[in-house]
Amino acid sequence: MESLLTYNSVIIPKEGGGNLEIVLLLFTIFPIIVILASIIGYLLIKKWFVIPLLTSVVFTILTFTIFNESFFIWTVLYTILSLIMSLIMKFSKK
């Protein structure tokens, strides 16, 4: 357990570089991935609920494998972001 750091109750590996990387993941990289996946997923599948469901499943798995239970709030936020983007795509395509 000595090779792990705790940042705001989220466990990250020590060799990960520090706090800047986790902030970069949480506030830029993950939201961009969720937004792009929601747009592309809606255009390919044409069902507004599939990508938010997939987002929820993927981030829940990440919560319990890579991060810890405190990451679950981010799972909820990314799922809501995906839901909003999917609904925007649904109503803008009509």
Side-chain angles (χ1 to χ4, degrees):
M1 222 19 147
E2 292 116 23
S3 66
L4 299 176
L5 291 174
T6 302
Y7 175 75
N8 203 11
S9 299
V10 175
I11 296 177
I12 57 173
K14 250 188 196 176
E15 52 276 348
N19 298 336
L20 184 61
E21 284 79 13
I22 193 70
V23 171
L24 185 68
L25 275 174
L26 292 176
F27 293 114
T28 57
I29 306 231
F30 285 159
I32 289 171
I33 290 171
V34 167
I35 290 169
L36 290 176
S38 298
I39 292 171
I40 294 170
Y42 181 79
L43 292 174
L44 292 175
I45 300 172
K46 304 287 189 221
K47 304 267 188 227
W48 65 270
F49 57 87
V50 173
I51 299 303
L53 182 63
L54 185 64
T55 301
S56 178
V57 168
V58 167
F59 279 106
T60 300
I61 291 170
L62 287 176
T63 297
F64 295 109
T65 57
I66 295 178
F67 302 105
N68 63 14
E69 292 82 18
S70 66
F71 187 78
F72 192 70
I73 187 66
W74 292 104
T75 300
V76 172
L77 291 174
Y78 295 143
T79 302
I80 291 170
L81 177 63
S82 179
L83 181 65
I84 290 169
M85 290 305 300
S86 294
L87 290 175
I88 288 173
M89 288 300 295
K90 176 184 178 184
F91 291 119
S92 70
K93 289 303 235 179
K94 284 189 173 185

